[in-house]
Amino acid sequence: MSDTAASDPSQYVRQREKGARDVSYPASPEPLPVAVYDNHCHLEIEDGDGMSLDEQLLRAGEVGVTGVVQAGGDIESSRWSAWAAASHPRVLAAVAIHPNEAPVYAAQGMLDEAIAVIDELAAQPRVRAIGETGLDFFRTEGDGLPAQFFSFEAHIALAKKHDITMQIHDRDAHDEVLETLARVGAPDRTVFHCFSGDEAMARVAADRGYWLSFAGNVTFKNAQNLRDALAVTPLERILVETDAPFLTPTPFRGRPNAPYLVPVTVRFMAAELGIDLDAFCAQLAANTLDVYGAFED
């Protein structure tokens, strides 16, 4: 991180690797009939030609996405998230040390310090969630796992301390995440960001009062497990997100994702559930406000 970005979080930016994929932004979809929110995105990460935060919010608003929850994953992106929320009435923040970053901080002897920064940021009024935190057995294994578990439990404690929501990252660790939440006790408002389980896990999560957030990958051909999970999740427990710039919905998979593409996923989900689009949008909006509170003070 540059000295400038360290003193001024607004200057922080990350670049997503482009590779050989199409990095042009898709055309804007038809606006939704009732406004909704993107409850998890990473707008500090530039993709393709990039859009400023103001451009992201403007383009999203034009299609009926009137607010976003910007999520951090390390000290720098969490500070940027808190700055974005404090500076923009349509942004709320989630702050955390990502489970794959926890072993990195631990190896540097800095994990306690990093969690202390998250604790400080979580006290800000427009930081409404601890996230994303959780367990990831896909990219971390062996010696890195104790740091993940330590960090996850510390983040659970922070969500309870500040009485804010927790956004969970769960990759290839379904049973262990559920066991940890049961053993330690989940925060009152717990969201499975980019839910990746199956129908059985969805039933368990919903029965415990957790929210399930579905991203663009619910539209992927090989994601029947997500559609099965969506089908059994009570409407009042469903949220929608982009995880932008990742997980761009079909038919734009691989191209840059952004909050303005939420309507693509919302329409797909409404069709899968056989529910009226207006009613589904209204439910999604109400759920988001129940979980995070009002966007504009």
Side-chain angles (χ1 to χ4, degrees):
M1 185 177 185
S2 69
D3 291 340
T4 300
S7 60
D8 180 2
S10 69
Q11 299 304 303
Y12 178 67
V13 66
R14 289 190 289 165
Q15 297 285 343
R16 184 184 181 193
E17 193 171 314
K18 296 181 180 180
R21 61 193 173 87
D22 182 353
V23 293
S24 63
Y25 278 93
S28 292
E30 181 182 350
L32 292 171
V34 177
V36 301
Y37 304 88
D38 178 354
N39 100 107
H40 187 103
C41 57
H42 302 278
L43 300 186
E44 85 285 3
I45 304 176
E46 286 191 354
D47 196 9
D49 293 333
M51 282 192 281
S52 70
L53 179 57
D54 287 338
E55 290 171 331
Q56 291 270 15
L57 297 174
L58 176 62
R59 193 162 182 184
E62 290 173 343
V63 296
V65 181
T66 59
V68 305
V69 180
Q70 159 66 31
D74 55 21
I75 290 175
E76 291 83 4
S77 59
S78 292
R79 284 176 172 157
W80 190 92
S81 299
W83 162 79
S87 306
H88 295 76
R90 291 169 53 198
V91 180
L92 297 177
V95 297
I97 303 302
H98 191 284
N100 289 324
E101 295 297 324
V104 178
Y105 282 110
Q108 298 169 347
M110 292 181 58
L111 184 54
D112 286 337
E113 178 183 339
I115 292 170
V117 172
I118 300 305
D119 187 8
E120 181 180 352
L121 292 171
Q124 297 186 22
R126 293 186 62 78
V127 174
R128 304 287 180 79
I130 296 294
E132 56 190 277
T133 182
L135 300 172
D136 188 319
F137 294 172
F138 179 77
R139 288 199 170 92
T140 299
E141 58 185 3
D143 293 343
L145 295 183
Q148 280 200 0
F149 278 97
F150 174 83
S151 181
F152 186 22
E153 293 189 25
H155 281 75
I156 292 171
L158 289 181
K160 294 176 181 178
K161 173 183 176 180
H162 294 281
D163 189 24
I164 56 179
T165 299
M166 182 174 67
Q167 293 188 345
I168 290 178
H169 171 102
D170 163 29
R171 188 165 187 185
D172 293 354
H174 305 323
D175 291 343
E176 291 80 2
V177 167
L178 289 172
E179 186 279 329
T180 301
L181 292 174
R183 174 172 49 82
V184 178
D188 289 341
R189 295 174 302 282
T190 295
V191 175
F192 274 82
H193 132 68
C194 189
F195 182 78
S196 59
D198 57 12
E199 175 183 344
M201 183 180 176
R203 291 184 187 277
V204 171
D207 286 346
R208 293 187 185 180
Y210 308 151
W211 281 265
L212 281 61
S213 179
F214 292 89
N217 55 342
V218 73
T219 71
F220 293 177
K221 184 178 180 180
N222 63 348
Q224 188 59 47
N225 65 303
L226 300 184
R227 293 185 283 278
D228 292 342
L230 174 66
V232 300
T233 303
L235 290 177
E236 64 271 16
R237 294 290 161 183
I238 297 175
L239 297 171
V240 68
E241 65 174 88
T242 56
D243 199 23
F246 312 105
L247 299 179
T248 316
T250 303
F252 309 115
R253 186 175 182 178
R255 294 170 67 180
N257 200 5
Y260 78 88
L261 292 173
V262 162
V264 178
T265 303
V266 169
R267 284 190 166 87
F268 179 92
M269 292 166 67
E272 280 291 311
L273 293 170
I275 187 173
D276 174 74
L277 180 62
D278 292 53
F280 186 53
C281 290
Q283 184 70 64
L284 289 172
N287 295 348
T288 308
L289 297 177
D290 284 345
V291 172
Y292 302 105
F295 278 69
E296 297 197 25
D297 298 328

